[in-house]
Each structure stands twice: as C-alpha cells, then as structure tokens.
Amino acid sequence: PAAAMGTFAKRLGQLSARSLESESRNILRTSGANKIPGSLALALDGTLKQGHDMRIFGLGTAASMSSVPRYARFTASMHAVYSSMEEELDRSVDASPAIRAVWQRHGATLRRAAALEADLADVVSDV
C-alpha cells in the first residue's frame, strides 16, 4: 500500500505538471492582444521571442514570484523601468512624430508605473 501511494502521488504530480504546461501553452496560443496584426504587442512579442529563450524567460519570471521579497524586488525593478519609460516618452512626445503616434495610440496601455507602485505598496509591508 505505501508503494502504491508513492506511485499514485508521483502520477498525480505528473498529471498536474502536464495540466499546467498545457494551460500555459493554451494561454500563449490564444491570447488575443498579441494576435492583432500591426499591433505594438505583436511586434514586441515577436522581438521578445527572437531575442530570448522563452523557457528561461518564463522560469526567471516564475522565480521572481516565488516569494514576497523576490516579488517586491521584481516589482520595484519594473516600477523603475516603467517610470523611466513614461517620463522619457512624455518628454519626447513633441520631438518625434513616431514617438507621438506610438504614445498617443498605446500610452494608456503602456502606463504601468502607478499600478506597479500600488502593487509594491501592497507587498512592501509584508517583506
């Protein structure tokens, strides 16, 4: 019976891993935002896939969420990136028609600094 329980637990672990892998694949395959022809998301998605090993990228992202301190560090880093990007694009919008077009079209979606700041405020007290 103990051996059978170990086999059962092993098989259950294998099935759950396969299920999670399938769900992740399904999310990537069916996400609509990255499938819109000509969208910024589609262009960035293609660039990301060309320049990164997506398995390592995914593992790094998962590792950054494995504990509250790691998530806080990750969120603080993302806040710094998005804050800098938003400030620079806000300053540069009049300097370039291309920047103006992208920022006017996608600015509402790309602005994440405030949301990241709120996320960070939620977790910092837990660190």
Side-chain angles (χ1 to χ4, degrees):
M5 189 58 160
T7 303
F8 174 73
K10 181 178 177 183
R11 184 69 182 137
L12 187 61
Q14 291 169 339
L15 287 171
S16 68
R18 191 173 300 138
S19 173
L20 290 173
E21 179 181 7
S22 298
E23 182 63 21
S24 297
R25 269 196 198 138
N26 186 45
I27 289 169
L28 290 173
R29 185 177 49 79
T30 61
S31 65
N34 288 348
K35 306 295 183 191
I36 300 168
S39 71
L40 178 62
L42 183 61
L44 292 173
D45 188 51
T47 301
L48 180 67
K49 286 179 181 177
Q50 288 174 0
H52 295 83
D53 180 330
M54 294 308 289
R55 288 173 297 173
I56 293 172
F57 182 80
L59 288 172
T61 301
S64 71
M65 296 180 200
S66 64
S67 70
V68 173
R70 284 183 176 193
Y71 179 74
R73 217 172 24 252
F74 173 77
T75 304
S77 296
M78 290 295 97
H79 180 262
V81 168
Y82 276 89
S83 294
S84 295
M85 178 189 73
E86 291 171 19
E87 289 169 13
E88 188 60 35
L89 288 170
D90 285 341
R91 273 196 300 271
S92 302
V93 76
D94 293 328
S96 165
I99 291 174
R100 182 174 28 264
V102 168
W103 201 227
Q104 285 176 344
R105 182 172 179 190
H106 303 288
T109 303
L110 292 174
R111 287 186 187 277
R112 302 293 307 141
L116 288 164
E117 188 173 346
D119 288 349
L120 195 54
D122 285 342
V123 297
V124 166
S125 63
D126 294 337
V127 175

